[in-house]
Amino acid sequence: MSAEVADREALSCSRPCTPPQASWFEFLLDPSLLEQHLQGPHPDPSPVQLIVQLLEQASKPSVNEQNQVQPPADNRRNRTLKLMALKAAAHLTWDLKVLEKGLTIPVLNMLLNELLCVSRVPPGVKHVDLDLSTLPPTTAMAVLVYNRWSVAIRTIVLSSFPEKQTKPGPHQLNMMSLVQQEKELTENILSVLKEQATDSITVLEGALNIKKDFYIHTLRTLDLLAADPSTANGETESSTAGLRISADHLHCQVHYDLGGIYFQQGCSDPSVYEKAREHFRMARELLTKLDSSASFCCVDEQRLAGYWSACKTLTGASDPSDSQHTPYGQISCFMRNHDYGVSKYSLTELDNITFILPNSFRHSIQLELLHKLQQGDGALEEVCHKLCVCNAVRDALEGGVLGVSFHQLLLKPSKNTISFLLEVCARSMDKEHRSETCKRKMALFIKSVCNRLEDVSLAFMVSSHKLFMELLQDEEKKILMEQMRKSSATVNLSAKPLPSFYDIPASASVNISQLEQQLILSLDPLHIRQILIELQGMAERPFWRVNSKWEVPVDYVNVILAIKDNLTRDLVYILMAKGLHCISIKDFAHARQLFTACLELVTEFSPKLRQVMLNELLLMEVRGHEAGAAEGNMERPPPDLVSRVRGYLEMRIHDLPLRQIVGEECVVFMLNWRENEYLTLQVPQSLVNSNPYIKLGQLIASTCKELPGPKESRRTAKELWEVVVQICSVSSQHKRSSDGRVSLLKQRASSLGTIMGKSYFCGLIDVFFISISQDDIVNEVTAEHISIWPSSLANLQSVDVEAVVVTLKELVNYALSLNPNNQSWLCTQADIYFGNQYSAAMHYYLQAGTVCSDYFTKSVPPDVYTDQVLKRMIKCCSLLNCHTQVAVLCQFLREVDYMTAFKALQEQNSHDSMDSFYGYIWDVTILEYLTYIHHKRGEGDKRQVAIKAIGQTELNSSNPEEVLQLAAQKRKKKFLQALAKLYF
């Protein structure tokens, strides 16, 4: 995990939040506050959040005297809560898009059912049996809103698309039962409403026959209901109350909704797409007539356009009006009508100025026409030529790669083709305010065309054009003209005939693309070789470039690309690239297969590449063994592997490309498996002097070997200290990168991270990086083995502390990923965040305590919660304005810090639970002080809480010491458990 990711995670561990500005019970006490709150610029909570809170409170079950759970009571309180939830929805003008986004299906189902209830929809009667035209306006509108959503329409459409499930984190495990209950409730609602989908569709289709206006509840009409439910119905349902919804607005929305459900049903019954298309057509027509400021009609115009285009394609219908408006519609119409005249390439030529058509669409049209031409329609040859030219100009203006078909066209172009090309280029640059970037791209394109033309007369035709004269620089024009003069003076008599534009068989382009796809996907060396043989027979080009993600280390590129045989070069490059990719995803079986095949291949002709492949196979074996160890397989590596690692470290072959990472990981491998005897005693001294990684590995191995005896290991530790300080120091030779870190230290991060593979080594590495900056007392970080390092640093200014902190965070994060229960590393992590992220620091201090006390059911060892750690926890709570927590923690010190405790208790702006923590105080002096200050402030209730705490018999000073200690330990454990709930 990177330091940046750790920082983001730390920020998520935020301190206890202050209460929101408004709570649901405030509106229950004073209903008039609700409208004021909703009309504010940024209400907090928002209307949707308020709906959730109000309905949650209204639906809470009750418990009777026999302690039995009862359904929510139908009392005035709950009815008022539901009515306020409806008011919040009315403030949103019943915008289902907003409600669906913010509410879960069960909550929205409850809200809309309540709307049906207050709108006096007859209970027990199916909506399909109701005559909407005879119902009062608000009642009919409530039925339509419910059936629009009703899951049978909008929610079924949305729920038919798969959604990525959120993986719960550790802090969410205790919520899984609630999540499961909500999921089951949602599924039950969906299953019931899917059964009535047909009825809902019938209801909505019936609404399209009603031509009168509708009205829907507003805050005013809902207030009338609350004032007098028995008589208000007449006014709220009259034409003078509520929000007026015109018939056109309603019909537009209903057409859009019905089109969506029919489109979704078309997957199983394609004939239904006709109905969907008709509804979408009506929605489009009505939408053009409506006022865009209408609040009820919430049609997604972009989505509607996508639905409309899809329906036309699926049904094969044409719309002349669309064809008149957009180039896309016009070209689609031409293709359907087999009209391959001038219009098509004229439109693409125009599109080189407007850039409206997607490039993929343009090329698909070209390929389709090319296919028809290859099937014998010779009349399309000119159209194909011109489309190819137009698309090439578009590619050039976008900085893309020119297609193969255009390069083939330039092999034997006609004068008319070049003339048309120049005409297209000129028109593409006619647009005013063409950027300098576009002009430069066009200049490069013209220069490329000029270079590729073998017919000098055609090249001079390009060079005499005004674009050539205007866009190319003088030096470029001079060089090109000189090249053309030389070409005109020579005739290449040995040139073999070049293939014409359409000499490739009709199936060749398809076969090449299919074979390239197989080449990308295949992991079988024999299959890869066979594919390359077939491809080489079809086209002569470098196929190692087929996939831009095939990467070979830069150290090897020149050696591989120097292979003369094209097939062998492509095969070696692809086998190595695929093998390296398999290693990166820990697919070691396929990596071994690919590397072995590559080794057999290069052994025949290149000793240098043979050794390269042996080195890569060794690195693969090392990483494979380390990956197994990370998954719990702690079996020692076989002696053969250890022997090969030693052989690599001692290898001396001149002119052999070596990857630095191989040497690094070999040293790390020896350290991880504690081959300390080899690194300290057996490795040749000449190798130590010449290889800095082996030198560093030897010092680390020596320090680890002598670690049990701190006094004896100080000499080796001092040498290691000096080397690491040199690595972390700012030097004139090591320039800072843009983010301020030293490049050399960044290069070391990967190998140091790999060294972390063994937990005993993590603590050691932590210490020497921490100790570099330990002269800064305010930000001092504690860790294990601190005593073996020098107590001071001669030149602290030379150390790049920022880079050290970044490296330290990487190391500690990785260490905790291997052993999350190491209390020393947890304290180190907390010390790192203590500088400016106090909530995160508390999180890790408390976590260090939980792992060594079985979640505070036992006492935390004093060597974990030292006075220094406790003082830092006190400071964190103080800076988080949790002053009562400060006072409680002051008791944990060996000598109770009364001054800090009293000062904290004097603070009145505290963000913790204050008197709820008094029960955790066992020090009578602090409790007496609490009683005094609450009496002084006139806070009677809090004073009584303090008196109750001090009056407990187990805190009586006359009790034996054992009883007092037991009372203190009991309160310590409970308090720490309470803190853990807050900060975890």
Side-chain angles (χ1 to χ4, degrees):
M1 182 188 294
S2 68
E4 289 78 10
V5 174
D7 289 341
R8 287 198 298 271
E9 289 186 351
L11 287 172
S12 66
C13 304
S14 57
R15 66 189 185 189
C17 296
T18 56
Q21 294 179 355
S23 298
W24 62 269
F25 59 81
E26 296 180 41
F27 306 120
L28 189 63
L29 297 174
D30 185 1
S32 64
L33 292 176
L34 179 63
E35 188 168 356
Q36 299 175 17
H37 173 80
L38 293 173
Q39 290 177 351
H42 301 288
D44 184 16
S46 67
V48 172
Q49 293 171 336
L50 196 56
I51 292 171
V52 174
Q53 294 176 14
L54 293 169
L55 292 182
E56 181 182 0
Q57 294 299 323
S59 60
K60 275 189 175 180
S62 58
V63 180
N64 61 14
E65 296 178 355
Q66 289 77 30
N67 205 27
Q68 296 175 332
V69 178
Q70 301 292 321
D74 184 16
N75 52 30
R76 182 180 177 185
R77 169 188 177 275
N78 287 348
R79 287 194 296 272
T80 304
L81 289 170
K82 293 176 183 178
L83 190 65
M84 287 193 292
L86 291 173
K87 286 184 178 181
H91 173 74
L92 298 172
T93 61
W94 305 98
D95 188 339
L96 288 180
K97 186 175 181 180
V98 175
L99 295 174
E100 287 165 350
K101 184 177 180 180
L103 303 178
T104 61
I105 288 177
V107 173
L108 188 48
N109 186 55
M110 182 179 177
L111 177 72
L112 295 182
N113 273 292
E114 192 61 29
L115 174 64
L116 295 175
C117 182
V118 301
S119 301
R120 310 294 172 81
V121 175
V125 180
K126 289 185 176 181
H127 293 176
V128 72
D129 296 331
L130 296 172
D131 184 357
L132 298 183
S133 62
T134 63
L135 292 176
T138 51
T139 304
M141 195 63 203
V143 172
L144 290 177
V145 170
Y146 178 83
N147 282 276
R148 276 188 56 223
W149 174 76
S150 188
V151 190
I153 301 298
R154 296 171 63 86
T155 308
I156 286 179
V157 173
L158 295 175
S159 65
S160 64
F161 295 98
E163 295 184 3
K164 181 179 179 181
Q165 299 296 321
T166 304
K167 185 177 180 181
H171 62 287
Q172 294 174 309
L173 294 178
N174 59 343
M175 298 292 292
M176 288 305 294
S177 60
L178 296 176
V179 172
Q180 185 62 29
Q181 290 176 15
E182 182 174 342
K183 182 180 178 182
E184 291 175 359
L185 179 59
T186 301
E187 290 175 351
N188 290 337
I189 294 172
L190 283 172
S191 63
V192 170
L193 294 175
K194 282 178 182 178
E195 293 177 2
Q196 66 183 42
T198 304
D199 289 351
S200 294
I201 293 172
T202 304
V203 169
L204 293 183
E205 287 183 332
L208 297 174
N209 298 321
I210 301 176
K211 305 302 181 183
K212 66 179 182 179
D213 295 341
F214 289 80
Y215 292 82
I216 194 165
H217 281 300
T218 61
L219 271 73
R220 175 175 173 268
T221 59
L222 291 170
D223 275 333
L224 291 172
L225 284 175
D228 190 357
S230 61
T231 61
N233 192 41
E235 177 160 358
T236 59
E237 293 163 356
S238 73
S239 59
T240 60
L243 175 66
R244 177 178 170 274
I245 310 295
S246 71
D248 283 348
H249 280 96
L250 179 67
H251 291 174
C252 179
Q253 187 67 63
V254 171
H255 278 302
Y256 178 73
D257 292 333
L258 287 171
I261 190 64
Y262 283 133
F263 188 86
Q264 190 259 340
Q265 291 176 354
C267 299
S268 54
D269 183 6
S271 62
V272 181
Y273 284 127
E274 292 284 354
K275 290 184 179 180
R277 184 176 64 84
E278 184 60 24
H279 280 294
F280 287 135
R281 184 186 66 79
M282 292 299 298
R284 293 174 78 241
E285 290 181 1
L286 288 170
L287 196 60
T288 59
K289 303 177 185 177
L290 300 180
D291 182 4
S292 60
S293 62
S295 57
F296 179 76
C297 187
C298 302
V299 173
D300 186 336
E301 295 187 36
Q302 187 175 1
R303 193 176 186 88
L304 175 60
Y307 273 135
W308 175 244
S309 178
C311 284
K312 289 192 300 178
T313 302
L314 291 167
T315 59
S318 61
D319 189 342
S321 61
D322 278 356
S323 301
Q324 300 295 327
H325 287 95
T326 65
Y328 180 89
Q330 291 177 348
I331 292 179
S332 299
C333 184
F334 292 151
M335 294 298 291
R336 285 194 299 268
N337 298 331
H338 304 287
D339 179 5
Y340 305 126
V342 179
S343 302
K344 186 175 286 75
Y345 63 77
S346 297
L347 286 168
T348 55
E349 186 181 347
L350 177 65
D351 186 60
N352 287 343
I353 302 174
T354 59
F355 282 26
I356 293 175
L357 296 174
N359 218 354
S360 56
F361 175 72
R362 294 169 55 118
H363 283 284
S364 67
I365 294 295
Q366 180 185 337
L367 289 174
E368 185 173 344
L369 294 181
L370 175 60
H371 181 66
K372 293 181 181 296
L373 174 64
Q374 292 168 344
Q375 289 180 332
D377 191 348
L380 291 177
E381 184 169 2
E382 182 184 358
V383 177
C384 287
H385 277 104
K386 293 188 174 182
L387 276 177
C388 179
V389 168
C390 291
N391 287 343
V393 173
R394 169 70 174 270
D395 290 337
L397 289 173
E398 291 189 338
V401 179
L402 299 179
V404 175
S405 57
F406 180 70
H407 286 299
Q408 290 175 330
L409 179 62
L410 290 183
L411 294 176
K412 293 179 65 177
S414 66
K415 183 178 179 180
N416 290 336
T417 300
I418 298 301
S419 177
F420 179 75
L421 185 149
L422 293 172
E423 182 183 344
V424 172
C425 291
R427 290 183 180 177
S428 299
M429 300 305 294
D430 276 348
K431 187 178 181 181
E432 294 183 2
H433 311 301
R434 275 291 189 189
S435 66
E436 291 300 321
T437 303
C438 281
K439 292 178 181 178
R440 188 59 196 156
K441 288 176 180 176
M442 180 59 74
L444 293 174
F445 174 68
I446 294 173
K447 179 180 175 182
S448 172
V449 170
C450 216
N451 280 327
R452 292 189 61 85
L453 290 173
E454 294 191 2
D455 189 329
V456 180
S457 62
L458 295 178
F460 276 112
M461 182 178 172
V462 174
S463 65
S464 61
H465 195 271
K466 65 174 184 177
L467 284 179
F468 182 92
M469 306 304 294
E470 293 174 358
L471 299 180
L472 269 71
Q473 299 175 2
D474 291 340
E475 188 64 27
E476 291 176 318
K477 288 186 283 188
K478 182 178 178 181
I479 294 173
L480 281 172
M481 295 299 290
E482 186 63 29
Q483 290 176 350
M484 285 187 286
R485 288 192 187 95
K486 291 180 179 179
S487 299
S488 62
T490 61
V491 179
N492 187 2
L493 299 176
S494 62
K496 60 182 180 180
L498 296 170
S500 66
F501 184 64
Y502 298 114
D503 278 349
I504 296 177
S507 61
S509 60
V510 178
N511 285 340
I512 288 177
S513 62
Q514 290 176 345
L515 288 172
E516 288 178 345
Q517 183 71 12
Q518 293 178 29
L519 184 65
I520 292 172
L521 297 176
S522 179
L523 291 175
D524 182 357
L526 292 177
H527 188 212
I528 292 171
R529 182 177 182 275
Q530 184 60 38
I531 293 172
L532 282 172
I533 291 173
E534 294 185 32
L535 286 171
Q536 293 283 354
M538 293 182 177
E540 293 185 5
R541 55 188 174 93
F543 288 100
W544 57 271
R545 294 180 177 174
V546 165
N547 189 352
S548 61
K549 295 184 179 180
W550 285 339
E551 294 181 355
V552 165
V554 66
D555 311 81
Y556 304 155
V557 169
N558 291 335
V559 181
I560 295 175
L561 297 185
I563 299 173
K564 295 182 179 180
D565 181 68
N566 293 339
L567 174 62
T568 306
R569 179 198 61 210
D570 289 349
L571 186 55
V572 171
Y573 189 99
I574 293 171
L575 290 176
M576 180 177 285
K578 284 177 174 284
L580 291 170
H581 172 71
C582 288
I583 292 175
S584 69
I585 61 174
K586 298 184 179 180
D587 183 1
F588 297 106
H590 279 115
R592 184 178 292 105
Q593 185 181 6
L594 291 161
F595 278 175
T596 302
C598 192
L599 175 64
E600 293 176 359
L601 176 64
V602 299
T603 300
E604 300 175 358
F605 64 89
S606 175
K608 185 183 294 186
L609 279 175
R610 177 181 179 276
Q611 189 59 52
V612 165
M613 291 313 304
L614 288 173
N615 295 345
E616 291 299 320
L617 277 165
L618 174 62
L619 179 61
M620 181 205 66
E621 297 290 349
V622 167
R623 288 184 174 175
H625 206 280
E626 291 294 342
E631 294 172 0
N633 180 14
M634 300 309 294
E635 182 180 350
R636 287 193 61 80
D640 172 65
L641 180 56
V642 176
S643 176
R644 288 165 59 198
V645 170
R646 292 183 179 183
Y648 178 84
L649 293 175
E650 298 173 11
M651 179 179 63
R652 283 293 176 270
I653 300 178
H654 295 292
D655 299 327
L656 180 67
L658 295 175
R659 280 213 292 161
Q660 179 176 302
I661 189 66
V662 183
E664 292 177 10
E665 296 207 19
C666 283
V667 173
V668 170
F669 177 81
M670 302 297 277
L671 285 169
N672 280 345
W673 294 102
R674 305 196 184 188
E675 293 290 333
N676 295 337
E677 292 295 328
Y678 172 77
L679 289 172
T680 56
L681 301 175
Q682 299 175 18
V683 64
Q685 189 60 38
S686 60
L687 194 59
V688 174
N689 297 334
S690 62
N691 191 322
Y693 293 99
I694 295 179
K695 174 66 175 177
L696 179 61
Q698 186 185 65
L699 290 172
I700 293 172
S702 299
T703 305
C704 290
K705 184 179 177 182
E706 299 170 356
L707 193 58
K711 293 183 179 179
E712 293 78 7
S713 65
R714 283 189 181 274
R715 182 182 61 80
T716 307
K718 184 178 180 182
E719 290 184 48
L720 177 58
W721 170 273
E722 291 172 352
V723 170
V724 173
V725 169
Q726 184 181 2
I727 292 173
C728 299
S729 296
V730 179
S731 168
S732 60
Q733 297 176 349
H734 302 139
K735 295 183 179 179
R736 286 178 174 270
S737 56
S738 59
D739 60 356
R741 302 176 195 168
V742 177
S743 302
L744 180 63
L745 188 56
K746 289 178 70 177
Q747 293 172 4
R748 299 292 186 269
S750 60
S751 58
L752 287 173
T754 312
I755 291 174
M756 301 290 286
K758 288 284 174 277
S759 59
Y760 80 92
F761 189 64
C762 298
L764 179 67
I765 295 296
D766 285 350
V767 173
F768 70 71
F769 273 96
I770 296 162
S771 301
I772 289 174
S773 56
Q774 71 173 8
D775 285 358
D776 185 356
I777 300 299
V778 176
N779 295 319
E780 181 178 352
V781 180
T782 58
E784 295 176 295
H785 314 303
I786 201 75
S787 60
I788 69 171
W789 308 114
S791 58
S792 62
L793 186 62
N795 188 9
L796 179 61
Q797 290 74 21
S798 67
V799 175
D800 188 342
V801 177
E802 181 187 353
V804 171
V805 170
V806 171
T807 307
L808 174 60
K809 287 182 178 180
E810 294 277 0
L811 294 170
V812 177
N813 284 330
Y814 190 81
L816 288 173
S817 73
L818 297 176
N819 185 359
N821 294 328
N822 187 303
Q823 63 262 24
S824 174
W825 297 343
L826 289 168
C827 284
T828 302
Q829 182 78 302
D831 288 343
I832 293 171
Y833 289 120
F834 178 71
N836 56 4
Q837 298 179 34
Y838 306 108
S839 183
M842 281 295 292
H843 171 89
Y844 285 106
Y845 283 133
L846 289 166
Q847 195 170 341
T850 61
V851 299
C852 60
S853 65
D854 196 12
Y855 198 75
F856 300 121
T857 56
K858 303 172 185 176
S859 298
V860 180
D863 60 335
V864 176
Y865 276 2
T866 63
D867 269 10
Q868 181 182 0
V869 170
L870 290 170
K871 286 179 180 178
R872 291 193 169 194
M873 293 172 70
I874 289 170
K875 183 175 180 181
C876 288
C877 292
S878 177
L879 292 169
L880 292 171
N881 288 333
C882 298
H883 301 295
T884 315
Q885 297 173 21
V886 171
V888 179
L889 283 171
C890 285
Q891 304 172 109
F892 284 59
L893 298 168
R894 287 183 175 84
E895 296 291 335
V896 180
D897 187 352
Y898 290 111
M899 291 297 293
T900 304
F902 292 166
K903 184 178 178 181
L905 293 174
Q906 289 172 6
E907 297 284 347
Q908 291 184 286
N909 183 25
S910 186
H911 291 175
D912 56 17
S913 303
M914 298 185 69
D915 51 329
S916 66
F917 285 118
Y918 291 175
Y920 303 126
I921 301 176
W922 65 88
D923 188 281
V924 177
T925 304
I926 295 177
L927 287 170
E928 289 174 345
Y929 182 76
L930 270 173
T931 306
Y932 164 73
I933 61 171
H934 287 315
H935 174 72
K936 184 178 179 182
R937 294 173 185 167
E939 298 170 342
D941 293 341
K942 294 181 179 179
R943 180 172 177 270
Q944 288 301 319
V945 176
I947 291 173
K948 182 179 179 181
I950 202 173
Q952 297 178 76
T953 56
E954 57 188 356
L955 298 182
N956 193 319
S957 58
S958 301
N959 288 337
E961 184 65 24
E962 293 81 6
V963 175
L964 295 174
Q965 287 293 328
L966 201 61
Q969 290 299 327
K970 174 184 174 183
R971 285 162 175 75
K972 279 185 180 181
K973 294 173 186 175
K974 289 187 175 180
F975 174 68
L976 291 172
Q977 288 172 352
L979 283 188
K981 290 179 181 178
L982 285 175
Y983 290 98
F984 281 4

